[in-house]
Structure formats: structure tokens, C-alpha cells
């Protein structure tokens, strides 16, 4: 491990000065930048000014970071209620770009960037890529979707900023992806983890072994929860080292946090963001080391300053020093969103916990979907999972019983498992749909 870290230091020069600021220097920088963000919000966003005034938080009166806790959280619905540009701090003609997330219901969430915001985003995504070992000149195969989703253009700009040629292939057309990955000899693959697996699967059916050419070394995967077992599966099938990158459009896009060679949590880039962790029920800070919901304040965004944005993502924060030398805190793997958490007969469960169990069973594939139904007053969970190719159908029932038993003893939840023939479930080209909720809608 240390050899990796040393080569990271020497082959790319020193770490950025911004990555190794002392904790005190980081806090001082955050305070100065937060004042600027509050000024921007106060001056340019009437809704923000009202909230700041109500909280008695005048930008010039901000003397300590923790004064921010007087301000109520910002929610996704606040963005929707001000659709499309009502929370922007710049008029449309001063924007350089707009992205939006479709969401499953209602209006999309729209986010905007000035040219300087795009500069910062590219720099942070480049920093993230460098942290996982991407180097200038590495060919980057970018299979994140281009368009309103921030993944494609975000990873693209970061790679270019780092000095990497990019294959802007976007998601989909998986056979062509496989052919170009191999023919062009990309060193880096960027995609969602579920799409990386779909690429591996199609490569196998095409009789292509992406490991053989030996060029592909690094995978930078994010935009959806994935388990450690899924990481191991992708690594084995594609022959690369897989790293986790985190972000969300409301705050910026990919590159808000990223692993380093240590793979011991994702460094949240604290010179541009302020991270808090709260109890999702009460909104109060959780004790050190406990799990909670991540709340993020942007420290440099011009077009869309976000103050205490509730991400709904559940994680833990680590502030002890990392062996890589970076001083920025670490966000542990995001197990899931609080809105994706299922409560099955009183047991809280995230899809990624079920995924981790399924992947321990060699006869089962990582292609699965969870179906939630209402059974009288109780919720019922069916796990549909494909068998690995070549597993005899006569064995499916016994496999299903074994898997249900494993899930019960590991996660604590009772499920019905259905083992399906390979290729039955839909494959993702971006974020995988893990849960089909067939419960009657409230109201
Ligand atoms: O998914 C940005 C992104 C693109 C991140 C490419 C990484 C790579 P949104 O579409 O706004 O933005 O979705 C954000 O996706 O709140 C999390 O719930 C989830 N998410 C993102 N990265 C991870 C990750 C992009 N590494 C939402 N692990 C976030 C788990 C993630 N969940």
C-alpha cells in the first residue's frame, strides 16, 4: 500500500498545497469562504436573504463556522418550489451551463454554473482523478451519461483538466463500448458501477476479455450505492482497480469527494465544501463516528450557493489523518439514501446490504432487483436475482432458499428469493433501478 502512495507522490509531483492544508488553515479558509457565500446568497437570492435575516445571520457577523447551525436546512423541495432558476444567484445570461436531474416524480431539479463554477468543478474532478492514480496522458473512456446528468460532462472536464485524452462515449451501445475499450486501449474507465458490470457481461458474451490487453487499470465509479462485494466483482471481471467517487448535482456534480490510493473513505474536498452529519430524524449533529445524513454547504459556488443542503445520503465521517497525506476529512462509502431505505417488518435495510449477501453466493450473479409489496398491513420483500450462466435451473429453488436464509441471518430481514435465468432483468446504462415499489401510493 505504501509503495502505491509513494509512487503517487513522485509520479505526479507533490500533492496540491490545498490538499494538505493543516486542519486549522482549512477551517480559517472555510470561514473566509463561507462569509463570501453568505454575502452572495444575501445579496442575490431573496429567499436566502429572508432565511438568513430570520436566523439573525448577517454575513459580516459570521465569526465562527458553527454559527451556520442557526440556519434551517435547504431541501430538494426548496429547489423544486423555485423551479427553474429561483434560487440562482446570477441572472441566466451570466451562466455558463445548466444541468438538471430528472427525478422520478414532479419537476426536475435544475442547477446552474458560472464559468468560474465550471473551472472549480473541473479542478476538483481533476484532483479526484489524480487521487486515484490517473495521470496526464492516460486515455479515459467516459461511459457516464452526457447531457443533463452531471456525470458525463463532469468527468470529461476533469479528465481534460488533468491532461488526459477522453473518449466521450456516454452510456449505452454496450457492444461498441467493449470494442472501443479494447481497440483504443483506455487506461481508465469512468461509469456507474452497475454499468461497468454490464460492460463486463457483454464483453464475456462477445468472447472478449478486457483483462487480456492489460491496458485497463483504473475504474472511477459512482453516482449510485455499491457494496464492497460489488467492487471485488467488477475488479475481477474487468481486471482493474475500482475507486469510489461521490457527488450530487445540487452541490456540483461528481468530484465532491473521492477515494485515494488508500481506499479508506472518500476525501471530501473541504476547501470548497463544508460537511455536517445530522440525525435524519431530529436534524441534530450526530456524535463523532456515528452514522448520519450528510449535509453540505458550498463554499465557492457563484451561480447556486447552497446552504446546509440535506443530501439524504447516509454515511459516517472520519477526521483522523489519512496515510496518503491529504488532510481533508473522509466520507465513508455511502450505503444508500434515507429515501431508499426499506423498512421490512420493522427492519431497516438498504438495497446494497442485500447486494453484499447475494455476491457471497457464487452461483448467483450481481444482477438483482428488489420488489416491495404490501401484504395486508406489512411490507413484503422479494429479491429477484439471476443465476450465473451455466447453473442448472433444477437447482434454482434450493439456491433461492439458501439465499433467503443467508439474507435473514446477515441482514436480519425475511425475504422471498426468486432465482431467475441469466439475462432476465433489465441492465442499467447509468444508475441501476434496484427497487420496484409496488405498494399502493399514500393519499
Ligand atoms: O450522481 C453525480 C455523480 C456522477 C457522482 C458521477 C459520481 C459519479 P445526481 O444525479 O444528482 O449526481 O445524484 C446524486 O447519487 O445524492 C447519492 O445518493 C448518489 N451517489 C452519487 N455518488 C455516489 C457514490 C450524481 N459514490 C446522488 N456512492 C447522491 C453512493 C452515490 N451513492
Amino acid at each position: 500500500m505504501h509503495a502505491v502512495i509513494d509512487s503517487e507522490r513522485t509520479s505526479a509531483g507533490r500533492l496540491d498545497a490545498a490538499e494538505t492544508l493543516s486542519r486549522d488553515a482549512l477551517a480559517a479558509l472555510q470561514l473566509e469562504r463561507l462569509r463570501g457565500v453568505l454575502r452572495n446568497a444575501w445579496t442575490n437570492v431573496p429567499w436566502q436573504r429572508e432565511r438568513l435575516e430570520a436566523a439573525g445571520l448577517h454575513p459580516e457577523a459570521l465569526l465562527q463556522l458553527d454559527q451556520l447551525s442557526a440556519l434551517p436546512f435547504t431541501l430538494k423541495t426548496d429547489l423544486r418550489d423555485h423551479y427553474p432558476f429561483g434560487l440562482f444567484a446570477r441572472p441566466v445570461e451570466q451562466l455558463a451551463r445548466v444541468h438538471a436531474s430528472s427525478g422520478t416524480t414532479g419537476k426536475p431539479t435544475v442547477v446552474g454554473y458560472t464559468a468560474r463554477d465550471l473551472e472549480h468543478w473541473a479542478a476538483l474532478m481533476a484532483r479526484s482523478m489524480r487521487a486515484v492514480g490517473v495521470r496526464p496522458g492516460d486515455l479515459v473512456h467516459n461511459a457516464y451519461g452526457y447531457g443533463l446528468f452531471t456525470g458525463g460532462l463532469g468527468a470529461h472536464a476533469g479528465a481534460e483538466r488533468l491532461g488526459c485524452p477522453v473518449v466521450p462515449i456516454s452510456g449505452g451501445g454496450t457492444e461498441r463500448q467493449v470494442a472501443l475499450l479494447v481497440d483504443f486501449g483506455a487506461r481508465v474507465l469512468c461509469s456507474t458501477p452497475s454499468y461497468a458490470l454490464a460492460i463486463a457481461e457483454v464483453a464475456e458474451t462477445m468472447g472478449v476479455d478486457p483483462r487480456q490487453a492489460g491496458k485497463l487499470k483504473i475504474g472511477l465509479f459512482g453516482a449510485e450505492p455499491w457494496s464492497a462485494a460489488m467492487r471485488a466483482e467488477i475488479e475481477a471481471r474487468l481486471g482493474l482497480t475500482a475507486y469510489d467517487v461521490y457527488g450530487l448535482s445540487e452541490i456540483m456534480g461528481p468530484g465532491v469527494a473521492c477515494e485515494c490510493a488508500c481506499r479508506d473513505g472518500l476525501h471530501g474536498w473541504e476547501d470548497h465544501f463544508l460537511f455536517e452529519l445530522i440525525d435524519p430524524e431530529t436534524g441534530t449533529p450526530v456524535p463523532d463516528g456515528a452514522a448520519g445524513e450528510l449535509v453540505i454547504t458550498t463554499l465557492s459556488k457563484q451561480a447556486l450557493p447552497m446552504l446546509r443542503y440535506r443530501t439524504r445520503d447516509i454515511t459516517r465521517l472520519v477526521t483522523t489523518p489519512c496515510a496518503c497525506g491529504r488532510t481533508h476529512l473522509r466520507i465513508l462509502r455511502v450505503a444508500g439514501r434515507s429515501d431508499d431505505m426499506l423498512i421490512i417488518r420493522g427492519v431497516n435495510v438498504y438495497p446494497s446490504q442485500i447486494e453484499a449477501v447475494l455476491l457471497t453466493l457464487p452461483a448467483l450473479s450481481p444482477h438483482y432487483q428488489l420488489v416491495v409489496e404490501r401484504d395486508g398491513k406489512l411490507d413484503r420483500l422479494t429479491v429477484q436475482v439471476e443465476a450465473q450462466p451455466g447453473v442448472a435451473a433444477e437447482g434454482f429453488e434450493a439456491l433461492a432458499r439458501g439465499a433467503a436464509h443467508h439474507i435473514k441471518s446477515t441482514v436480519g430481514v425475511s425475504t422471498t428469493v426468486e432465482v431467475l435465468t441469466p439475462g432476465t432483468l433489465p441492465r442499467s446504462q447509468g444508475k441501476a433501478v434496484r427497487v420496484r415499489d409496488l405498494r399502493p401510493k399514500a393519499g
Side-chain angles (χ1 to χ4, degrees):
M1 184 60 78
H2 282 95
V4 177
I5 295 162
D6 285 347
S7 76
E8 183 189 342
R9 283 220 173 103
T10 46
S11 63
R14 304 263 161 260
L15 298 176
D16 271 358
E19 292 175 273
T20 54
L21 288 174
S22 71
R23 299 291 312 164
D24 284 350
L26 258 179
L29 180 66
Q30 287 187 318
L31 182 62
E32 181 197 316
R33 290 192 168 173
L34 182 59
R35 231 178 257 132
V37 169
L38 293 190
R39 248 181 244 128
N40 183 21
W42 177 284
T43 316
N44 298 312
V45 190
W47 179 80
Q48 297 278 28
R49 182 182 185 142
E50 256 173 52
R51 285 171 9 118
L52 288 164
E53 273 179 338
L57 203 62
H58 193 281
E60 307 316 321
L62 185 84
L63 301 175
Q64 278 168 238
L65 285 171
D66 61 10
Q67 279 174 268
L68 191 64
S69 63
L71 194 71
F73 299 111
T74 305
L75 310 177
K76 199 182 191 82
T77 48
D78 293 325
L79 274 159
R80 293 221 169 112
D81 292 347
H82 294 86
Y83 174 87
F85 304 144
L87 297 189
F88 286 13
R90 293 289 183 278
V92 172
E93 58 273 19
Q94 286 178 29
L95 301 180
R97 192 175 322 146
V98 169
H99 279 282
S101 74
S102 53
T104 42
T105 51
K107 293 198 175 116
T109 313
V110 184
V111 298
Y113 306 79
T114 63
R116 204 190 75 177
D117 292 337
L118 291 181
E119 285 282 305
H120 282 153
W121 184 11
L124 289 180
M125 196 54 205
R127 186 196 281 178
S128 299
M129 293 179 125
R130 209 180 52 146
V132 304
V134 183
R135 294 291 172 260
D138 287 351
L139 187 63
V140 175
H141 181 105
N142 185 15
Y144 283 120
Y146 282 65
L148 288 177
F149 174 54
T150 52
L153 284 165
H156 185 110
E160 282 193 347
R161 170 61 60 92
L162 190 55
C164 299
V166 188
V167 183
I169 191 155
S170 193
T174 313
E175 292 201 353
R176 198 160 65 113
Q177 301 256 358
V178 171
L180 298 193
L181 252 182
V182 174
D183 293 350
F184 293 178
R187 183 163 187 270
V188 182
L189 169 63
C190 295
S191 72
T192 60
S194 59
Y195 193 52
L197 209 57
I199 292 175
E201 186 187 41
V202 169
E204 279 155 31
T205 57
M206 289 165 69
V208 174
D209 186 350
R211 294 168 301 188
Q212 211 129 55
K215 292 268 176 64
L216 198 53
K217 295 281 185 227
I218 294 172
L220 191 55
F221 304 126
E224 62 184 4
W226 51 312
S227 59
M230 176 75 107
R231 160 143 59 195
E233 176 86 19
I234 295 171
E235 290 187 331
R237 290 171 74 170
L238 287 176
L240 46 68
T241 307
Y243 296 93
D244 198 357
V245 60
Y246 169 84
L248 60 165
S249 42
E250 294 87 339
I251 294 302
M252 181 176 81
V256 172
C258 191
E259 282 183 324
C260 61
C262 305
R263 298 205 297 181
D264 192 15
L266 292 76
H267 289 283
W269 303 126
E270 289 183 276
D271 47 344
H272 290 271
F273 310 104
L274 190 65
F275 298 96
E276 298 173 73
L277 208 60
I278 60 159
D279 178 329
E281 302 291 323
T282 63
T284 52
V286 298
D288 278 353
E293 177 184 333
L294 192 62
V295 170
I296 309 180
T297 297
T298 60
L299 295 175
S300 57
K301 286 274 288 293
Q302 289 181 322
L304 184 57
M306 282 300 237
L307 304 175
R308 306 195 83 204
Y309 183 72
R310 282 189 70 156
T311 66
R312 304 284 166 192
D313 292 324
I314 305 296
T315 181
R316 291 168 202 274
L317 297 182
V318 178
T319 50
T320 49
C322 182
C324 71
R326 291 177 181 82
T327 49
H328 297 232
L329 60 66
R330 282 167 289 156
I331 295 166
L332 295 192
R333 174 187 291 280
V334 172
R337 302 172 55 77
S338 55
D339 15 5
D340 287 345
M341 189 183 76
L342 300 168
I343 306 178
I344 305 295
R345 304 186 181 214
V347 181
N348 298 354
V349 50
Y350 288 106
S352 60
Q353 288 175 281
I354 306 259
E355 171 186 300
V357 179
L358 296 175
L359 280 167
T360 60
L361 303 171
L364 297 181
S365 79
H367 302 289
Y368 72 97
Q369 209 165 46
L370 308 183
V371 182
V372 194
E373 288 157 297
R374 178 67 45 84
D375 196 3
K377 282 213 165 101
L378 295 176
D379 287 339
R380 191 155 51 89
L381 181 60
T382 304
V383 179
Q384 298 181 324
V385 56
E386 292 178 12
Q388 287 288 6
V391 173
E394 300 80 68
F396 284 7
E397 247 184 73
L399 263 176
R401 276 196 305 275
H405 176 77
H406 261 293
I407 292 169
K408 174 78 184 162
S409 60
T410 320
V411 188
V413 68
S414 299
T415 58
T416 306
V417 176
E418 290 172 4
V419 176
L420 309 173
T421 35
T424 320
L425 293 172
R427 297 292 186 263
S428 103
Q429 297 187 350
K431 294 178 192 252
V433 178
R434 294 302 189 193
V435 179
R436 270 176 42 223
D437 192 342
L438 305 181
R439 289 172 292 190
K441 295 277 167 288

